[in-house]
Amino acid sequence: MTQTPARQRDAVRTRAEVLAVATEAFADDGYSGARIDEIARRTRTTKRMIYYYFGGKEQLYLAVLENAYRGIREAEQSLHVDEMQPIDALRQLAELTYEHHLRNTAFIRLVSIENIHRGKYIRKLESLGDIGQPAVTILDRIIAEGKKQDAFREEVNALDLHLLISSYCVFQVANRYTFSYLFDADFTTEARQEHMRRFIGDVVVAWATQPQG
């Protein structure tokens, strides 16, 4: 039986709502702690319906992971780096990554949880190989143009830059509470966040353009 457009819209909306609530549930409670019954209650649907859409708890968790990684990749693609000068493109990519992590803290918690499990579940997502590649591809394009213009030093490469940007962005979210306590610094203020956003842009540009020798 063919679904009507209205029913199709309801299905898409329900699936998206379940995915959003499940993201917070898994980020807050981990894979083991999250409960499908609670996700169903919060989305005003049923456990059976969630299983219908996703297949089971593990499949729902995998869908959450895939969606979280897809979000950062889509944000990166929105930059249109080919229309910028390489130094500007690199700075904007670093700052955009910071902003995305800042506004999507569940993503950081999910990544942390998956690393606690030593990548047990992410290895089952073959699609993430394709999803992850654009991050390096964008950097490759920026670097290639930067070297062509003699703006970047020769040893600069995409993986190092991606690691540098990601490590900073993940750390400032994952450790904000301990850092705030240990160093009496409020990481939630607009001024602090603006400083940190500009800081990562300055760092990556300085490293990529550092004179050789």
Side-chain angles (χ1 to χ4, degrees):
M1 181 177 176
T2 303
Q3 285 189 336
T4 65
R7 289 186 65 184
Q8 289 176 341
R9 286 194 298 272
D10 287 343
V12 170
R13 185 163 52 244
T14 299
R15 194 179 188 280
E17 185 179 3
V18 169
L19 202 57
V21 171
T23 296
E24 292 299 328
F26 284 120
D28 287 344
D29 301 320
Y31 179 79
S32 300
R35 295 287 180 264
I36 298 297
D37 287 333
E38 178 62 15
I39 294 170
R41 186 191 67 78
R42 289 168 59 186
T43 53
R44 290 176 294 182
T45 186
T46 64
K47 186 175 182 178
R48 181 179 178 183
M49 186 61 70
I50 291 176
Y51 283 167
Y52 172 78
Y53 284 123
F54 295 95
K57 182 177 182 179
E58 181 175 311
Q59 290 90 336
L60 176 58
Y61 178 68
L62 291 175
V64 163
L65 273 182
E66 181 176 9
N67 190 61
Y69 276 97
R70 194 180 298 279
I72 181 60
R73 298 291 86 88
E74 289 176 351
E76 292 163 351
Q77 293 288 340
S78 71
L79 273 183
H80 305 294
V81 297
D82 293 333
E83 302 172 8
M84 308 177 195
Q85 289 298 308
I87 291 177
D88 293 336
L90 181 57
R91 180 183 296 278
Q92 289 198 36
L93 180 63
E95 294 184 357
L96 176 142
T97 304
Y98 169 78
E99 287 289 344
H100 182 86
H101 284 64
L102 184 65
R103 308 304 172 198
N104 296 274
T105 58
F107 174 59
I108 308 300
R109 303 199 303 279
L110 286 168
V111 172
S112 299
I113 290 166
E114 187 56 22
N115 277 287
I116 289 172
H117 289 289
R118 301 184 180 181
K120 174 182 177 181
Y121 297 100
I122 200 171
R123 296 174 190 275
K124 300 180 181 183
L125 278 173
E126 295 182 4
S127 61
L128 279 191
D130 295 330
I131 293 174
Q133 190 57 38
V136 176
T137 301
I138 290 174
L139 281 166
D140 277 332
R141 287 177 6 222
I142 294 172
I143 292 167
E145 184 60 28
K147 290 181 179 179
K148 182 179 176 182
Q149 297 183 19
D150 292 325
F152 297 154
R153 54 199 179 98
E154 193 57 38
E155 62 266 41
V156 171
N157 65 78
L159 185 57
D160 284 347
L161 276 175
H162 185 61
L163 179 62
L164 175 61
I165 295 169
S166 295
S167 59
Y168 176 88
C169 294
V170 169
F171 189 92
Q172 61 85 26
V173 172
N175 298 279
R176 64 170 58 181
Y177 300 107
T178 52
F179 253 48
S180 293
Y181 175 74
L182 291 172
F183 299 103
D184 193 24
D186 187 350
F187 283 80
T188 64
T189 67
E190 186 175 336
R192 171 72 64 177
Q193 291 170 359
E194 173 62 18
H195 166 76
M196 295 179 71
R197 182 183 64 79
R198 286 186 283 104
F199 184 74
I200 185 57
D202 290 343
V203 167
V204 295
V205 167
W207 183 78
T209 59
Q210 178 183 353
Q212 300 182 40

